[in-house]
Amino acid sequence: MRDVAELAGVALTTVSRAFSDPGKLAPETLRRIESASANLNYTVNLNARSLRRRSSDAVLVLLPDIANPFFSLVLKGIEEAARESGRVLLVGDTGSDATLGDSYAGQLEARTVDALILLDGRLPFRPGSPARARLLRSPVVAVSERVAEAGVPYVGIDNVAAARDVAHLLADLGHRRVAHIGGPAGNSLTQEREIGFSAGACERALWLGGMVTGDFSIRSGRDTAAVILSWPDRPTAVFAANDEMAFGAIHAFKAAGLRVPEDMSVVGFDDIAFSEIHDPALTTVRQPRRAMGRTAMAVAAAQIEGTPLPASTVILAHELVLRASAGQAPSAANAKRKRVAFERAPF
Amino acid sequence: MRDVAELAGVALTTVSRAFSDPGKLAPETLRRIESASANLNYTVNLNARSLRRRSSDAVLVLLPDIANPFFSLVLKGIEEAARESGRVLLVGDTGSDATLGDSYAGQLEARTVDALILLDGRLPFRPGSPARARLLRSPVVAVSERVAEAGVPYVGIDNVAAARDVAHLLADLGHRRVAHIGGPAGNSLTQEREIGFSAGACERALWLGGMVTGDFSIRSGRDTAAVILSWPDRPTAVFAANDEMAFGAIHAFKAAGLRVPEDMSVVGFDDIAFSEIHDPALTTVRQPRRAMGRTAMAVAAAQIEGTPLPASTVILAHELVLRASAGQAPSAANAKRKRVAFERAPF
DNA sequence: CGAAACAATGAAACCGTTTTCATTGGCGGT
DNA sequence: ACCGCCAATGAAAACGGTTTCATTGTTTCG
């Protein structure tokens, strides 16, 4: 920068301004500086800038599994919004290791990032610890899954209402006996979807045959579906707490000789990309994942800039996507052949 | 740091050493410093460290689509390896905008990252430009897709051999007429797979009915499959250059009333997670995506540290995964060619 | 016409580390 | 007792920007 200043015949300070607040400079001066720095291939050193400014224009995203299509599309939304606001993205895959979040969150204290976006519902550091307390004073936002601690802004959908919608849909289709494959215990999404589904079932006098617990994996969907098949009073419809488990369940049902949806309806949750090309195409709840990501970034940005948040909780609209995997209940099929509105051909 | 030094009764320098090279300190001194910094909740400011050390322990990954399951698993491998080597990951989604790579790559010049890992085959900056020249002197590695410029280390599989394997497989299954749905022109993967497949077809005297060009999307697989169906001499097997296009093709074939694999075999490439769940399960070429990511990070690390690279090109083993979507060719006797229905014409 | 506000620039302090070089005392070898 | 060596520590100079405050002319306005 000193060299640029010299070549342009101005002070160091002026060159700095040329890059951080060009409007304050006389046009002629600015031009000279630009030409000088072009000649010298000059680029501002962002470490020095961050050091002095005490902010890095970077945001850290913590998620349990980058390779999971649900998260990766949220991530894409975050990335877009980050880029548009001149920020850069750091990602950490915390996986199953609970301590990884802590070490990643150290980046916040180390001033490498300005904010933390949490997709795994696990707020780093031990509750009550000083580190946790400091974290709560920093820009943090939870997406999709809530964190236990109060005061952390949240971006997501109304999972209770969405699950209730599913129950109502199944009732509309004539089902009387239904079951639920839930996510892992302790997960906020699991709880909300269970609550919503049982509430909706109750409202429509559906007999909720039982809830089984999976772990959001295809395999667990298959395994829990096998359990459901063994019940004496088999349900005619199953609501899985995410699409992967729904795929697994459908697989198990098919393997057991049942047709989906003729003999068994299955509804998923999330509407990941593969759901529409699955055979049968999956009826599911669409989450606006990209918008969730963008919104999360916006909330983080507001916190960084000190702008007052519009609300500490942003609930986006979900959408029930009717496809082939959920149909009329077997008994009701003959009675009335009411066709639900199917989506137009996928892709 | 000054406060910690004061509290521990040592010089600033010594505290610095406690965090960057603790072995050089007397155990007792180290203990005092650790206790002091714990009391003060001290954390090293990584911006200052990077500024002084002129390295950031961060790596930038550029990819065309984070939400694409192929890339996201490679990314996961990179993340793991980065974390294990004490590095942190920046990701940029360059999408279809060719200039985004340039602005992201600025992070390298700005000293925010130490290396660049390219998944999109597009080396930033105009060829021949000074910026490009400087980039080539920095740690850069290409994964999966090659970059045009020589001298950039590459990590991937032998796409030619893999595509040839597919041709041989189809020949072994008794197919005589085959077709290929390729990726977008100009893509190195597209070219290599085309070359390998036609070579393999030639070796086994397969009649390569034609090559159509898709863009790696499900939709393009469906559309190009419709084109293939319109050919007078319809092939009995199709090799798609990735799994998504294979899914789209299968969908189109099914919609036209063909059974897969009885009437038409389909082979994909990549083995993404849903390929085995798909109905029919997809026969495909598995790429060791996670290992590719880890290896790429290792190559980048070697460049950063100045360690001589074992090789400028690392080729990992691929694997032909035999599933249901590719089967025996319909025997000539039974080959009463099914009439295809164009009820749901894509146009 | 004079005071005050303003626009454009510069000098210098500061951000928080790392690293070179110097200093000190202890130690083994002769 | 001397010399050199080494381990442990400290003083001070970077690293490359930003920002406060001061210093100029130049307007503007009463």
Side-chain angles (χ1 to χ4, degrees), chain B residues 10-11 13-14 17 25-26 29 51-52 54:
Chain B
V10 296
T13 310
T14 309
R17 288 204 184 94
L25 294 193
T29 315
L51 173 58
R52 181 59 225 228
R54 307 160 143 274

Side-chain angles (χ1 to χ4, degrees), chain A residues 278-307:
Chain A
H278 188 265
D279 187 13
L282 192 67
T283 292
T284 187
V285 175
R286 176 177 300 156
Q287 296 203 58
R289 296 179 281 162
R290 206 140 146 191
M292 283 164 58
R294 301 187 71 102
T295 308
M297 183 63 231
V299 170
Q303 289 185 81
I304 292 170
E305 289 154 12
T307 318

Side-chain angles (χ1 to χ4, degrees), chain A residues 121-156:
Chain A
R122 293 190 302 218
L123 202 55
F125 304 122
R126 199 167 38 76
S129 65
R132 167 69 73 89
R134 265 169 289 141
L135 180 62
L136 288 171
R137 269 178 264 118
S138 318
V140 179
V141 47
V143 191
S144 175
E145 195 170 334
R146 294 176 190 276
V147 297
E149 195 109 16
V152 176
Y154 172 77
V155 174

Side-chain angles (χ1 to χ4, degrees), chain B residues 106-152:
Chain B
Q107 298 283 331
L108 242 191
E109 309 229 308
R111 323 232 62 149
T112 298
V113 300
D114 295 339
L116 185 55
I117 299 183
L118 278 178
L119 301 195
D120 65 354
R122 291 191 301 220
L123 202 57
F125 305 122
R126 197 168 39 75
S129 65
R132 167 70 71 91
R134 265 170 289 138
L135 180 62
L136 288 171
R137 269 179 263 116
S138 319
V140 179
V141 47
V143 190
S144 175
E145 197 170 331
R146 295 176 189 275
V147 297
E149 193 110 18
V152 176

